Structures are given as C-alpha cells and as structure tokens.
Amino acid sequence: MFANCDFKTHKNNMKMKRTMLTVTMLLAIAFTAFAQNEEAAVKATLTDYMEGTSKGQIARIKKAFTPTAALYSVNPDGTQKRLPIGEYIGYFKEGQSRDRKGKIISVDIVNDAAHAKVEIISGNTKFTDYMLLLKLKDGWKIINKSYTREATR
C-alpha cells in the first residue's frame, strides 16, 4: 500500500508539472502576441509620420502626434531649439510630395510608453529622429521628437 501511495504521488506530481508547463506556454504565447500587436501599432504611428511628411498627407502627420507635441534639436550656436508640432506641420502642404524616405531603426516598448529611432533621408541630408510615444485612449501617439541631421555626401 505504501508503494501504491508513492506511485499516486508521483503521478499527481507529473500531472501538475504538465499543467504548469501548459499554462506557462499559453501565457508566453499570449504575451508574445500582445507584444507583437503593440509593436505593430507603434510602427503604424511611425509610418503615419514618415509617409505623411513624405507625401504631404497632413491628416496622417496630425494623427501621429499629440497636439502638444514638440520637436527638439540643437541650434548652430549650441542652444536648444523647440518647435511646436503645429508650426512643424505648417511646413508641409497637402498633396505636395517631398524627397523623404524613412526607415524605422528600433522600437522599445514598456507597458504604455515607448521610444523609437527613425532615420529619414531627404536629399543630401540624413535626419536621425528619436521619438517618445505614449499609448493614449486613441492609440499610440508621438509626444516629442528630438532629432539631429548630417550630410550624406
């Protein structure tokens, strides 16, 4: 009878281990799917920014940013430059395409906050953009952008 009890205990332990392994695998799959969906959503916001600015699609630019967003860079004299998003959007004309090709370099997401690195080639200039994004009630939005530029030739 004692040997039978050990067998039952072993059998129950094996059953518990299989159950825990199954639950762990399901959670890992669910987490991976969630992370992939969030990354896709962040990339969609970045694509709205890149394509909106290259194709003169003002609505897509506005969709990508919050109304209070700003762009930050360094002036030639070494001081900080701040450009409100409304002023930046004013540089673009509806339907007027520009020679701008964008590429997402990296995305890092934790919960409802993210940052991304984007490169834009425009003529002989490469812009490197660092975006801060938040997941708000209407989706992922760029809240700030800092950037630098360099000649490509």
Side-chain angles (χ1 to χ4, degrees), residues 1-2 8 12 15 31 47 53 80 85 135 146 153:
M1 184 158 170
F2 183 72
K8 281 184 176 180
N12 286 339
K15 195 176 196 180
F31 178 76
T47 299
T53 56
Q80 175 184 303
I85 191 62
K135 185 177 182 183
S146 63
R153 297 178 199 183

Side-chain angles (χ1 to χ4, degrees), residues 101-112:
K101 293 183 182 21
K103 179 169 82 169
I104 299 168
I105 304 301
S106 65
V107 173
D108 185 31
I109 304 167
V110 177
N111 296 326
D112 55 3

Side-chain angles (χ1 to χ4, degrees), residues 4 8 33 38 80 144 147:
N4 191 22
K8 281 184 176 180
E38 292 303 311
Q80 175 184 303
N144 280 317
Y147 68 94

